[in-house]
Amino acid sequence: VLVDGHPGAVLDFTTTYHALDGVILDQPGASEGDTIRGRVILVMLSSTRQFKCLMLAPEKDWKNFSPNFEAVIQSVKFFSITD
């Protein structure tokens, strides 16, 4: 995937939703035992700068939410850091 012209790594995954798994995780729209889909995009802009974006959604809602995530990724613009 390219994010503002920079190559990025994409990781798609699924997991079973558990409200109490040692940490409190509140995933809107998900019930205990539902499958959650996720996508992580990581772009290394330099050796000291990175961009990471994560999307999680109940699998049953993925098709509704994923176009919004893609639109956000396509709208990302990076800028140079100046002192």
Side-chain angles (χ1 to χ4, degrees):
V1 65
L2 289 178
V3 181
D4 193 25
H6 297 269
V10 177
L11 172 65
D12 291 315
F13 61 92
T14 60
T15 188
T16 302
Y17 177 73
H18 297 292
L20 297 173
D21 229 2
V23 293
I24 297 173
L25 172 66
D26 183 24
Q27 179 60 48
S31 299
E32 184 69 23
D34 284 353
T35 299
I36 300 292
R37 282 188 66 178
R39 175 170 289 162
V40 178
I41 295 180
L42 176 64
V43 178
M44 293 304 297
L45 300 168
S46 73
S47 62
T48 59
R49 293 177 59 216
Q50 69 175 339
F51 167 80
K52 179 173 57 175
C53 194
L54 168 69
M55 176 188 158
L56 296 171
E59 188 169 44
K60 65 184 183 291
D61 298 326
W62 185 261
K63 287 183 182 180
N64 294 331
F65 289 114
S66 61
N68 296 326
F69 182 73
E70 295 304 321
V72 167
I73 294 301
Q74 293 303 314
S75 72
V76 170
K77 301 290 181 217
F78 300 113
F79 58 91
S80 296
I81 296 175
T82 56
D83 293 272

